[in-house]
Amino acid sequence: MWYVIEGHDAEGALPRRRQARPAHLARLQALREAGRLLVAGPCPAIDAEDPGPAGFSGSVVIAQFDSLQQARAWAGADPYVEAGVYARVEVRPFLPVLR
């Protein structure tokens, strides 16, 4: 099953995001290499590809897991969670209709 994982950035998280980014991307790359990643990326805090110091409001990952519990466990172990980048993370089932 596919799941959408939405992390919502904490206030002032940009420096922590930058520091944890390599480890965060490595986990996403592992999902991609396993053929389990549909899409992943950050949500700029302003309407710009490079938000500069405005930073990001969060991130979205859509990936395949065997269960909601596995998706939640994976999301909870994200380096952005451990670094305090995300104030909260939501995980819910997702059904891709158009690709």
Side-chain angles (χ1 to χ4, degrees):
M1 177 88 185
W2 292 95
Y3 296 89
V4 61
I5 300 167
E6 188 171 6
H8 300 269
D9 279 23
E11 188 71 31
L14 187 57
R16 295 185 302 277
R17 177 183 270 272
R18 287 180 178 144
Q19 185 175 19
R21 188 170 190 258
H24 171 78
L25 291 178
R27 292 181 82 232
L28 292 171
Q29 184 63 32
L31 281 179
R32 183 178 181 203
E33 289 170 3
R36 296 174 41 209
L37 182 66
L38 184 62
V39 68
C43 300
I46 60 173
D47 189 14
E49 285 189 31
D50 180 359
F56 300 90
S57 62
S59 302
V60 173
V61 174
I62 300 177
Q64 196 172 42
F65 295 92
D66 289 335
S67 68
L68 179 58
Q69 292 76 20
Q70 283 186 357
R72 285 180 175 155
W74 186 91
D78 191 286
Y80 281 178
V81 171
E82 294 172 2
V85 174
Y86 294 150
R88 75 184 201 290
V89 177
E90 298 175 23
V91 181
R92 54 194 182 277
F94 178 78
L95 297 174
V97 174
L98 301 174
R99 291 196 217 185

